[in-house]
Amino acid sequence: MSGPPGRTDSYPFAPGDRLLLCTDGVIEARDRDSTFFDLPEAMVTMRDHTRQAFLEGLRQALLRHTQGRLVDDVAVILVDRREDEGHGSTGGPAQGPR
């Protein structure tokens, strides 16, 4: 590779924050009128859900939007920063759903 190095951005990930990683099958899911799935709106409506309820709600919203016809692969990873993770955290795995 040649040229200047890419730019790196950094964003805070504070206790209580949630990070959603997904494939383009989520953001490019369309209904019969070719309207894209509104992921930001879906995330807002499920903001206070547990991880499991959030993921199930997202799955149901996608299926409703596409009338059950997903034409691309869909993969989703949801990461929650626990409220009790402080500066002294060992970084170990989370202990079950909250």
Side-chain angles (χ1 to χ4, degrees):
M1 269 187 156
S2 63
R7 187 176 126 196
T8 302
D9 291 327
S10 178
Y11 300 92
F13 190 50
D17 283 352
R18 175 169 276 177
L19 173 67
L20 179 74
L21 305 171
C22 63
T23 60
D24 64 349
V26 175
I27 60 173
E28 293 178 357
R30 297 178 188 227
D31 64 11
R32 290 187 179 168
D33 296 325
S34 293
T35 303
F36 286 111
F37 179 68
D38 191 350
L39 179 59
E41 176 63 27
M43 291 179 68
V44 166
T45 63
M46 295 182 288
R47 157 179 50 228
D48 297 323
H49 288 47
T50 64
R51 285 185 298 253
Q52 186 172 347
F54 181 95
L55 291 170
E56 179 59 24
L58 182 58
R59 184 180 80 81
Q60 291 296 326
L62 273 168
L63 291 172
R64 271 192 313 274
H65 182 77
T66 62
Q67 292 85 39
R69 299 175 299 115
L70 292 171
V71 296
D72 196 357
D73 65 305
V74 170
V76 178
I77 298 173
L78 184 65
V79 180
D80 284 341
R81 171 97 187 260
R82 294 179 6 177
E83 293 286 348
D84 61 351
E85 290 181 9
H87 293 288
S89 174
T90 62
Q95 300 299 313
R98 52 177 208 177

